Amino acid sequence: MRILAGPSARAQLRQKGLRADDVRVVPGAAGGPKGLALNALDRYLFARWLPRSTQPVHLIGASIGAWRLAAACMPDADRALERLADDYISADYSRADGRRPSAQSVSADFVSTVNEHFGGRQRELLSHPRLRLHVVASRGRHLLHREGRWRTPAGFLTAFAVNMVSRRALGSWLERVVFSDPRDPIPFPLSDFPSRQVSLTADNLLEAVIASCSIPFWMKAVHDVPGGPAGAYWDGGITDYHLHWRYDALADGLALYPHFQSSIVPGWLDKNLRYRHRATHALDRLVVLAPRTEWLATLPGGKLPDRGDFQRYGNDLAGRQAAWRKAVAEGQRLADEFAALVESNASIEAEPL
């Protein structure tokens, strides 16, 4: 595991190491199956280490990050996170004719899964004594305000072109909507991108998580999430792939980021715009936990699980599941290494972001 940090965070780690009561924020990135490799680390963080602290901790997630962090808020976080990995790996989207499943069928399966995980337990999840959940979704505007056979491809093509000119201009086509625990506000501004915050409640929790995970063209949009502005909602990773937010504005403490890579890519449409992957002053108080390339090389295929594996393995369901389970099992190395580090209370010399 690599530990990378912004300047203020590096100084704090060097001076006193990392303690559970230093953590104020935990981001959760979009990235689909890549997040599975962090499962063991998540289970250690949320079931064993962070419970030693008493301060409120804000969990901010997009796409699979929202699902992971919602599971972390459950009374038995360890079991909820274990179940997330099991159900994600077990999902079967293969078809006898080899074609990709329809967006309707993928959405229907995912809605069923989310209901099985959290249905009837929304109030329990949202009443966690210390954890504050914030779910990020992308709300369409103009052509993307409603989903349609022609308007959706045209709208995303336009959004792609606009984003090439300016990330902020993307906000004229896709607005960041954060469904936030109303007990405590997010402890820094959302002025970097056109944004709106609404209360996360028992009435909209399921829809917010489903919307945050709804990958365009793979899944159907979620329309008119209760409590939010009207419109079509898609995957939160479109606007906030890796949540490059204003962590420098934290009044105290650190943001701790279990991540599957060392760079923080602002939006999904920025993946190929490498000049937008650079660290900025906004990451001053951020600590990133990321796997080393040498460890990645030991995983099946020499890489993290990814959505392309559905095509790569085709109808070889057992093959894909075995590869992904291997990646989850190998992720225990990350958890063990992190546990040894924080249990030692030693000073940490982090790499610069």
Side-chain angles (χ1 to χ4, degrees):
M1 185 174 63
R2 300 175 67 191
I3 301 178
L4 307 98
S8 293
R10 289 183 73 205
Q12 182 168 330
L13 294 177
R14 187 181 301 116
Q15 180 181 11
K16 61 178 186 177
L18 180 63
R19 303 172 303 184
D21 56 10
D22 294 329
V23 179
R24 298 293 183 273
V25 174
V26 177
K34 295 183 181 73
L36 293 172
L38 303 173
N39 188 254
L41 181 57
D42 284 345
R43 291 170 66 183
Y44 175 78
L45 287 174
F46 293 111
R48 296 178 57 189
W49 188 62
L50 281 176
R52 302 175 190 177
S53 63
T54 59
Q55 78 284 359
V57 180
H58 295 268
L59 311 185
I60 305 169
S63 198
I64 193 176
W67 188 6
R68 287 169 49 211
L69 297 179
C73 293
M74 296 291 280
D76 187 350
D78 188 65
R79 173 60 189 135
L81 288 161
E82 180 185 38
R83 183 182 178 192
L84 181 158
D86 286 344
D87 285 355
Y88 204 117
I89 292 169
S90 298
D92 181 6
Y93 299 121
S94 59
R95 287 178 37 157
D97 60 8
R99 297 173 62 188
R100 195 172 83 175
S102 69
Q104 290 89 341
S105 67
V106 175
S107 287
D109 286 348
F110 185 64
V111 168
S112 176
T113 298
V114 170
N115 274 278
E116 289 172 6
H117 279 245
F118 305 122
R121 306 189 69 182
Q122 295 96 314
R123 296 186 190 281
E124 190 177 15
L125 188 158
L126 292 172
S127 63
H128 194 287
R130 293 181 308 100
L131 302 183
R132 308 291 187 256
L133 180 63
H134 308 275
V135 176
V136 183
S138 305
R139 185 181 75 98
R141 305 181 67 188
H142 306 303
L143 282 174
L144 294 175
H145 182 65
R146 294 290 171 188
E147 189 173 28
R149 182 178 179 183
W150 302 112
R151 62 188 295 149
T152 299
F156 276 109
L157 183 62
T158 305
F160 176 83
V162 165
N163 185 69
M164 292 286 289
V165 176
S166 163
R167 168 164 161 76
R168 189 169 183 85
L170 176 65
S172 63
W173 285 85
L174 288 158
E175 177 185 46
R176 171 199 290 154
V177 178
V178 187
F179 294 88
S180 289
D181 188 318
R183 292 176 293 176
D184 289 298
I186 292 175
F188 39 74
L190 298 179
S191 55
D192 63 302
F193 189 84
S195 306
R196 197 182 305 217
Q197 279 187 270
V198 298
S199 291
L200 182 65
T201 69
D203 294 329
N204 64 19
L205 172 67
L206 300 183
E207 288 89 342
V209 172
I210 294 164
S212 185
C213 295
S214 293
I215 305 166
F217 308 111
W218 275 82
M219 298 173 68
K220 301 295 291 180
V222 177
H223 285 82
D224 305 331
V225 177
Y233 290 77
W234 276 281
D235 196 302
I238 306 172
T239 56
D240 292 283
Y241 192 43
H242 294 164
L243 299 141
H244 191 131
W245 286 13
R246 289 289 312 278
Y247 306 108
D248 63 315
L250 285 171
D252 62 353
L254 301 170
L256 180 65
Y257 197 165
H259 197 16
F260 44 77
Q261 64 181 57
S262 59
S263 60
I264 312 295
V265 181
W268 190 86
L269 297 176
D270 300 320
K271 287 201 299 183
N272 295 321
L273 305 178
R274 298 196 64 82
Y275 65 93
R276 293 188 187 173
H277 300 189
R278 294 193 295 262
T280 70
H281 66 86
L283 308 184
D284 182 54
R285 304 189 69 81
L286 182 68
V287 178
V288 173
L289 311 176
R292 293 187 177 277
T293 55
E294 296 91 341
W295 177 77
L296 293 174
T298 69
L299 301 182
K303 66 173 187 62
L304 293 168
D306 61 49
R307 204 166 65 247
D309 288 341
F310 287 111
Q311 282 76 47
R312 205 168 285 118
Y313 285 90
N315 287 339
D316 181 12
L317 179 64
R320 176 183 61 78
Q321 291 180 344
W324 286 13
R325 291 191 191 283
K326 175 70 171 175
V328 171
E330 289 296 318
Q332 187 63 47
R333 296 174 184 267
L334 301 176
D336 291 344
E337 187 173 332
F338 180 78
L341 183 67
V342 295
E343 298 290 352
S344 72
N345 295 314
S347 171
I348 297 172
E349 190 59 49
E351 302 175 52
L353 278 166

